[in-house]
């Protein structure tokens, strides 16, 4: 939508104030025609061959699972496509958990018009700043790669306000925000001791107002106002020195609790407030949660003086009402309740009148055990988020919108990857057909891609028509128009393929060639030379009915099983294979080669039949598992989970083997305090080191990734700010692509995949 508006505005400007661009001058950088054509090329994303500058618009999508750990385990490429395999169910843009969505369809605004905020953490609330920007709150520590702790101000144009900074205390979770005058009121709790959090800060700077000290003893969930006073909702029993259970009223002028506002609430938690009107038009404060009173529970309302009204929807005992909104005389309730009015079935969403609370509509077609977390009415639309997958028989994954007053399901379909639970979402109008959504999810607009995806290198988005794998991929390797895949899968696009398969490019169709493996292997490594494709895995014992322990090879001519057979022994594992001239180095978990014992975990064999070469000497083996091998110049970099090389001494999870001298480099130039899963050398001399470590060469904060340069023999001081294991990498067109189990890279939200210059 923004793209169309910008193009339209440019077109009008050119029509009114500029002469048509002269084709003969559009390549002359000194002319206005060149400038105009360049602007249009930028706006439209035109990357066709031209004398005009080209702009990089790639928004690399990430991988997601819905629930559980996701990872990119292998990366390769084909023409202008990035091919990834791993353990995932969806791919989606790596937006972070605050997104700008078009109200017409729920699609995210393109990154080049509205830069992704890439918030790291969770965000449960957003409010307008009244000037086209927003305040967001949650439990996060970075926005657009800049440290911001739990509260941030977003300026118009989707940009972070660097001047607004609250105290850098990342030990707080923000549930609610309220803006009035020069103050931003902030409510939540401290996760370490569950004490309440309610402060106010300067709306422009974030400076804390130390004179405001209500000090609730437990969670503050929501804030509302009647113009003069602030209503505070939560789990507290004491606030401002007064005994107040779940609901209190504070004077905005004095900042003090108003003691005369007393309620009959005697237990439970208040989760959401709405300051609205009853059937006669009188102002009331509606409060919902799992709170209780001697008369009514879970959904109640009070007059501003604290008098309990007769409004009583009466959701079922043991349930919660998470959210409340009002449209004219209709009140909408969302939560985990299943009945209303003392027994009428009403699963998770219901509309009631604002007089007595009697149900109006009890059937919104939400499935069993799919609670509603958040409701928000903006103009004539009711937005909702939760754990549902459809509403009124229309598929909608975890977010939807109903048109009011007829309650028809709109085309708004953000398509989240998993459910949204309390503190739910902040949903705010951003104007011009755009709405701002916050949540605990770090992507939106996901598409199903089971364990395999192909991304367009220019846009970063997935292409269509690629096959699904039923279980994870661990290795990918391409030769010409053939893609070889290995892992733990048993079928591809409905066709039986056990742990190893060949796809025919360019359409990624499953090849009719089927290499049949024994029942229980897990393929971990695939590489090739001019004549053979080498494959390694865990518990591999049989290939095409012939014995092959740990590793095997196929002839490149016809993909038949070759005679290459190092025979690593029963129960062995070939984790990494490296071809160097006439040698094939194997790393893994094994204790023999060619049936001869005392060859442990790292050894070279010949390329003809796999005969051991005693390189390195069998007296100098890594004592345990080797995961990865790579060649940089004349040196082999070795990564794994070992603490010594036999006969030599201590080597912590990494080592370097010098080929000319056939010896390990000492002192060891690379070491890690935990497992090294990945080593990859590149023409610029960089050796990328990935794993589950937190320090390299004794230097802390090298989480999961480090860069060692083989030419200078130095470890780069650059810190990637990656939060979990890096399993794979690739260099293409000047960029490094990194894949793993991480959700954060460069202090930004990134779903297991990121493109890097190694200096961000």
């Amino acid at each position: 939508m923004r793209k169309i508006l910008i193009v339209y505005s440019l077109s009008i400007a050119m029509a009114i104030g500029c002469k048509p661009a002269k084709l003969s001058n559009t390549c002359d950088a000194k002319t206005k025609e060149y400038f105009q054509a360049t602007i249009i090329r930028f706006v439209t994303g035109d990357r066709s061959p031209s004398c005009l500058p080209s702009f990089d618009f790639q928004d690399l999508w990430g991988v997601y699972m819905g629930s559980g750990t996701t990872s990119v385990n292998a990366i390769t490429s084909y023409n202008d496509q990035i091919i990834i395999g791993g353990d995932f169910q969806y791919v989606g843009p790596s937006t972070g958990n605050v997104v700008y969505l078009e109200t017409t369809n729920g699609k995210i605004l393109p990154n080049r018009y509205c830069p992704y905020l890439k918030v790291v953490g969770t965000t449960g609330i957003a409010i307008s700043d009244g000037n086209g920007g927003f305040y967001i709150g949650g439990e996060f520590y970075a926005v657009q790669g800049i440290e911001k702790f739990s509260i941030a101000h977003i300026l118009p144009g989707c940009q972070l306000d660097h001047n607004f900074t609250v105290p850098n205390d990342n030990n707080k979770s923000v549930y609610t925000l309220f803006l009035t005058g020069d103050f931003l009121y902030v409510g939540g709790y401290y996760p370490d001791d569950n004490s309440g959090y309610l402060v106010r800060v300067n709306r422009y700077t974030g400076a804390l107002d130390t004179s405001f000290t209500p000090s609730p003893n437990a969670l503050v969930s929501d804030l509302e106002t009647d113009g003069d006073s602030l209503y505070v909702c939560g789990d507290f029993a004491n606030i401002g020195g007064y005994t107040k259970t779940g609901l209190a009223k504070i004077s905005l002028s004095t900042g003090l609790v108003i003691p005369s506002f007393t309620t009959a609430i005697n237990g439970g938690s208040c989760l959401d407030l709405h300051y609205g009107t009853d059937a006669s038009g009188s102002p009331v404060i509606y409060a919902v949660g799992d709170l209780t009173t001697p008369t009514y529970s879970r959904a109640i309302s009070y007059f501003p003086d604290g008098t309990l009204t007769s409004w009583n929807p009466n959701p079922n005992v043991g349930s919660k009402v998470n959210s409340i909104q009002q449209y004219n005389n209709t009140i909408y309730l969302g939560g985990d309740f299943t009945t209303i009015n003392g027994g009428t079935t009403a699963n998770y969403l219901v509309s009631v009148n604002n007089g007595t609370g009697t149900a109006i509509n009890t059937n919104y077609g939400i499935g069993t055990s799919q609670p509603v977390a958040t409701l928000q009415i903006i103009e004539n639309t009711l937005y909702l988020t939760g754990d549902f997958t459809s509403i009124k028989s229309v598929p909608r994954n975890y977010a939807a919108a109903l048109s009011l007053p007829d309650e028809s399901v709109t085309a708004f379909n953000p398509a989240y990857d998993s459910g949204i639970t309390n503190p739910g979402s902040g949903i705010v109008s951003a104007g011009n057909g755009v709405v701002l959504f916050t949540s605990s999810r770090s992507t939106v607009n996901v598409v199903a891609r089971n364990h395999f995806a192909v991304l367009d290198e220019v846009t970063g988005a997935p292409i269509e028509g690629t096959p699904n794998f039923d279980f994870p991929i661990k290795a990918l390797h391409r030769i010409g128009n053939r893609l070889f895949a290995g892992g733990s899968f048993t079928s591809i696009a409905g066709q039986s393929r056990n742990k190893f398969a060949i796809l025919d490019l360019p359409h990624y169709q499953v090849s009719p060639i089927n290499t049949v493996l024994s029942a229980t292997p897990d393929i971990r490594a695939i590489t090739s030379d001019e004549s053979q494709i080498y494959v390694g895995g865990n518990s591999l014992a049989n290939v095409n009915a012939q014995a092959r322990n740990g590793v095997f090879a196929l002839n490149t001519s016809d993909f038949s099983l070759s005679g290459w057979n190092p025979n690593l022994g029963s129960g062995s594992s070939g984790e990494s294979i490296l071809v160097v001239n006439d040698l094939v180095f194997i790393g893994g978990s094994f204790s023999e080669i060619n049936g001869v014992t005392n060859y442990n975990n790292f050894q070279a064999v010949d390329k003809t039949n796999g005969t051991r070469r005693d390189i390195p000497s069998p007296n100098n083996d890594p004592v345990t598992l080797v995961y990865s091998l790579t060649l940089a110049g004349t040196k082999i970099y070795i990564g794994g989970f070992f603490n010594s090389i036999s006969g030599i001494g201590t080597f912590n999870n990494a080592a370097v083997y010098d080929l000319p001298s056939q010896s390990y480099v000492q002192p060891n130039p690379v070491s890690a305090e935990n497992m090294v899963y990945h080593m990859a050398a590149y023409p610029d001399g960089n050796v990328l080191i990935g794993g589950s470590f937190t320090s390299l060469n004794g230097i802390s904060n090298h989480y999961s990734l480090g860069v060692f340069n083989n030419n200078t023999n130095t470890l780069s001081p650059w810190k990637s700010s990656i939060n979990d294991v890096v399993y794979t990498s690739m260099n293409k067109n000047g960029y490094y692509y990194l894949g793993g189990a991480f959700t954060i890279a460069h202090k930004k939200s990134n779903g297991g995949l990121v493109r890097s210059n190694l200096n961000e």
Side-chain angles (χ1 to χ4, degrees):
M1 178 170 290
R2 292 290 178 86
K3 173 178 174 179
I4 294 172
L5 290 174
I6 295 171
V7 172
Y8 177 78
S9 299
L10 284 169
S11 299
I12 294 297
M14 292 171 67
I16 294 175
C18 306
K19 295 179 181 178
K22 298 179 180 178
L23 294 179
S24 59
N25 290 331
T26 53
C27 289
D28 183 352
K30 298 178 181 179
T31 65
K32 65 182 180 182
E33 288 82 5
Y34 177 89
F35 173 74
Q36 292 167 351
T38 298
I39 293 296
I40 293 176
R41 185 169 168 86
F42 172 81
V43 169
T44 60
D46 180 11
R47 293 178 62 88
S48 61
S50 173
C51 59
L52 299 167
S54 181
F55 299 93
D56 182 10
F57 292 129
Q58 188 198 74
D59 301 322
L60 191 65
W61 286 34
V63 300
Y64 303 91
M65 184 67 81
S67 61
T69 302
T70 64
S71 62
V72 172
N73 300 327
I75 306 176
T76 188
S77 67
Y78 175 71
N79 294 339
D80 58 354
Q81 296 172 343
I82 307 299
I83 305 169
I84 59 174
D87 190 5
F88 52 87
Q89 292 177 325
Y90 305 100
V91 293
S94 293
T95 60
N97 52 58
V98 181
V99 293
Y100 292 78
L101 305 176
E102 297 185 35
T103 57
T104 54
N105 53 23
K107 298 298 183 184
I108 190 167
L109 293 185
N111 189 33
R112 65 178 180 271
Y113 304 127
C114 180
Y116 297 159
L117 297 179
K118 288 187 170 284
V119 177
V120 174
T122 61
T123 308
I125 185 65
I127 63 170
S128 171
D129 68 359
N131 296 308
F134 305 90
Y135 292 95
I136 59 174
E139 196 168 346
F140 54 79
Y141 77 84
V143 181
Q144 291 182 338
I146 305 298
E147 285 191 350
K148 294 291 178 181
F149 293 95
S150 299
I151 312 165
H153 183 214
I154 310 303
L155 297 168
C158 318
Q159 297 289 341
L160 176 67
D161 181 357
H162 294 266
N163 295 321
F164 178 88
T165 303
V166 299
N168 285 354
D169 171 15
N170 63 348
N171 188 32
K172 60 179 177 290
S173 183
V174 172
Y175 274 53
T176 182
L177 300 168
F178 172 73
L179 183 66
T180 181
D182 289 340
F183 289 119
L184 177 69
Y185 290 80
V186 184
Y189 78 112
Y190 290 100
D192 58 347
D193 62 4
N194 290 319
S195 61
Y197 180 74
L198 181 58
V199 301
R200 67 184 182 191
V201 300
N202 183 280
R203 66 173 295 174
Y204 303 107
T205 66
L208 182 68
D209 179 5
T210 58
S211 69
F212 181 71
T213 57
S215 303
N217 69 321
L219 171 69
V220 171
S221 300
D222 197 23
L223 300 170
E224 271 284 3
T225 186
D226 59 13
D228 298 318
S229 304
L230 186 69
Y231 294 90
V232 184
C233 160
D235 197 30
F236 51 83
N238 188 285
I239 184 170
Y242 294 92
T243 299
K244 300 286 182 183
T245 301
L247 184 61
K249 188 176 180 179
I250 294 177
S251 169
L252 286 174
S253 59
T254 66
L256 301 176
V257 170
I258 300 173
S260 61
F261 182 83
T262 59
T263 70
I265 298 172
N266 58 11
S269 301
C270 178
L271 297 175
D272 195 25
L273 295 174
H274 173 70
Y275 186 75
T277 56
D278 64 11
S280 65
S282 299
V284 292
I285 184 75
Y286 294 94
V288 298
D290 62 355
L291 37 76
T292 61
T293 75
T295 308
Y296 309 141
S297 298
R298 294 167 293 283
I300 56 181
S301 67
Y302 290 91
F303 291 113
D305 64 359
T307 302
L308 183 67
T309 76
S310 59
W311 184 74
N312 183 23
N314 192 20
N316 53 287
V317 174
S319 69
K320 297 191 301 294
V321 178
N322 294 325
S323 190
I324 179 171
Q325 286 285 284
Q326 181 173 9
Y327 183 78
N328 297 330
N329 291 325
T330 300
I331 302 292
Y332 289 91
L333 304 175
D336 64 4
F337 53 84
T338 55
T339 68
I340 200 77
N341 298 153
T344 302
T345 299
N347 289 325
Y348 317 123
L349 178 64
V350 66
S351 59
V352 302
N353 68 50
N354 65 338
T356 63
T358 302
I360 299 172
N361 188 352
T362 61
N363 185 13
Y364 290 90
I366 295 176
T368 303
S369 301
Q370 296 184 355
V372 170
T374 303
L375 302 175
Q376 183 65 55
I377 292 176
I378 300 175
E379 296 179 346
N380 294 319
T381 303
L382 172 65
Y383 295 92
L384 61 156
T385 65
D387 205 27
F388 52 84
T389 56
S390 67
I391 183 166
K392 302 183 82 169
S393 300
V394 179
R396 288 291 183 270
N397 286 336
Y398 318 117
L402 302 180
S403 177
L404 301 178
D406 67 354
E407 297 182 346
S408 59
V409 180
T410 76
F412 181 80
N413 185 17
Y416 280 97
D417 63 321
S418 189
I420 296 171
T421 59
N422 277 345
S425 302
I427 306 171
V428 190
S429 172
N432 297 322
V434 177
V435 64
L436 183 84
F437 258 58
T438 75
S439 71
S440 58
R441 312 311 306 169
S442 54
T443 188
V444 70
N445 297 170
V446 299
V447 295
R449 292 290 187 276
N450 285 319
H451 310 299
F452 180 76
V454 179
L455 309 180
D456 184 283
E457 185 183 359
V458 174
T459 66
I463 70 169
E464 298 294 332
T466 54
N468 288 325
F469 287 63
D470 63 342
F471 289 105
I473 291 171
K474 304 293 180 61
L476 292 170
H477 182 71
R478 184 182 65 83
I479 305 174
N481 290 331
R482 305 273 190 172
L483 178 67
F484 300 86
S488 56
F489 52 83
T490 60
S491 72
I492 307 169
Q495 298 187 54
S496 177
R497 288 293 184 274
N498 190 36
K499 325 300 185 183
F500 179 79
I502 305 171
L503 301 183
D504 292 331
L505 308 181
H507 301 299
Y508 299 93
Q509 296 171 323
V510 180
S511 170
I513 301 169
N514 186 12
T515 304
V516 180
L517 308 187
S518 54
T520 60
D522 189 28
I523 297 303
R524 310 282 182 82
I526 307 173
T527 191
S528 66
D529 60 18
E530 67 283 353
S531 61
Q532 296 184 104
I533 300 148
Y534 303 92
V535 183
N538 181 47
S539 299
L540 175 70
N542 187 285
V543 181
N544 289 346
Q546 298 187 47
R548 290 292 187 273
N549 287 312
V551 292
F552 69 92
L554 303 178
N555 295 305
T556 56
S557 57
D558 59 1
F559 306 115
S560 61
L561 183 67
S562 81
W564 186 80
N565 184 15
N567 186 12
L568 306 184
S570 177
S572 62
S573 171
E575 300 284 340
S576 184
I577 303 173
L578 177 66
V579 179
V580 182
N581 299 323
D582 62 342
L583 298 177
V584 180
F585 287 86
I586 303 170
S589 177
F590 53 87
S591 58
E592 63 181 78
I593 297 281
N594 310 140
V596 179
T597 59
N598 296 321
Y599 287 86
N600 299 305
N601 309 314
F602 175 52
Q603 184 60 212
V605 299
D606 69 31
K607 296 171 64 173
T608 304
N609 52 28
T611 302
R612 62 189 184 279
R613 296 291 296 273
D614 287 350
I615 303 173
S617 166
N619 297 320
N620 302 137
D621 295 328
V623 296
T624 45
L625 184 65
V626 170
Y627 278 120
S628 59
L629 303 171
T630 192
L631 179 68
T634 60
K635 296 174 182 176
I636 297 176
Y637 285 75
I638 306 163
F641 190 46
F642 52 85
N643 56 24
S644 66
I645 303 294
S646 61
I648 300 178
T650 299
F651 284 77
N652 289 322
N653 305 306
V656 179
Y657 186 77
D658 182 63
L659 288 171
S661 65
Q662 294 188 13
S663 62
Y664 287 92
V665 176
Q666 296 184 76
N668 185 22
V670 183
S671 65
E673 62 32 269
N674 209 334
M675 284 183 282
V676 173
Y677 288 104
H678 177 65
M679 290 272 202
Y682 293 100
D684 56 8
N686 285 334
V687 179
L688 269 59
I689 307 167
S692 57
F693 48 81
T694 60
S695 67
L696 287 173
N697 291 358
I699 302 172
S700 62
N701 295 328
H702 279 281
Y703 287 94
S704 306
L705 180 70
V707 181
F708 185 86
N709 192 275
N710 182 66
N711 298 333
T712 62
N713 212 41
T714 57
L715 179 69
S716 169
W718 174 73
K719 308 294 176 64
S720 66
S721 299
I722 287 178
N723 71 324
D724 210 335
V725 181
V726 172
Y727 288 123
T728 185
S729 67
M730 179 183 72
N731 187 279
K732 192 170 192 290
N733 291 333
Y735 291 100
Y736 287 91
Y737 290 83
L738 310 174
F742 53 85
T743 58
I744 303 166
H746 311 151
K747 293 186 180 178
K748 297 178 181 180
S749 180
N750 286 285
L753 185 65
V754 68
R755 188 178 70 167
S756 176
N757 294 317
L758 304 186
N759 59 13
E760 293 90 340

